[in-house]
Amino acid sequence: QVQLVESGGGLVQAGGSLRLSCAASGRTFSNYVMGWFRQAPGKEREFVAAIRRSGGSTSYAASVKGRFIISTDNAKNTVYLQMNSLKPEDTALYHCAASAVGFISGYNYWGQGTQVTVSS
């Protein structure tokens, strides 16, 4: 059974940092794109960042570029999202996902999410 399990969320003050982890099990995703998405209450889910596990190329949403860094530890089958200079508008439920297609579409494996709350 394929599982993506996120961790590392929490409550942080504006300007602070958090590192999210996404541990994959049940299969390897060596040729997949691993992405992070977020959804705030009353808003649609939005793309945050993604990394191609083979080669390491990345893509970021404009709203997080320069503040967030996505990385992968292929030996641990884990993807990370380092979030710096957090803002209250970063508050959301963060999900990781896996796509065999590309950075933006084709995500067919999803985790349950980890809550990030940034206080002002």
Side-chain angles (χ1 to χ4, degrees):
Q1 181 182 0
V2 176
Q3 279 192 312
L4 299 177
V5 179
E6 303 94 336
S7 61
L11 173 64
V12 64
Q13 287 189 329
S17 298
L18 283 174
R19 188 176 82 153
L20 306 184
S21 299
C22 173
S25 62
R27 68 165 294 159
T28 59
F29 291 94
S30 55
N31 294 318
Y32 274 62
V33 170
M34 302 298 294
W36 286 96
F37 291 77
R38 65 187 182 187
Q39 187 166 19
K43 296 187 177 181
E44 292 188 357
R45 185 173 61 201
E46 64 173 348
F47 169 80
V48 175
I51 186 167
R52 187 175 297 280
R53 297 194 68 186
S54 176
S57 57
T58 58
S59 178
Y60 293 92
S63 59
V64 306
K65 200 167 188 178
R67 299 188 298 124
F68 291 10
I69 301 171
I70 189 170
S71 62
T72 180
D73 184 334
N74 290 343
K76 295 182 179 180
N77 221 13
T78 299
V79 178
Y80 304 97
L81 185 68
Q82 178 67 43
M83 305 187 297
N84 301 318
S85 302
L86 283 161
K87 304 175 182 180
E89 52 263 43
D90 294 318
T91 295
L93 184 65
Y94 284 71
H95 298 269
C96 74
S99 169
V101 176
F103 285 128
I104 302 298
S105 63
Y107 288 90
N108 54 353
Y109 296 106
W110 291 85
Q112 292 298 308
T114 185
Q115 179 67 38
V116 172
T117 303
V118 184
S119 63
S120 57

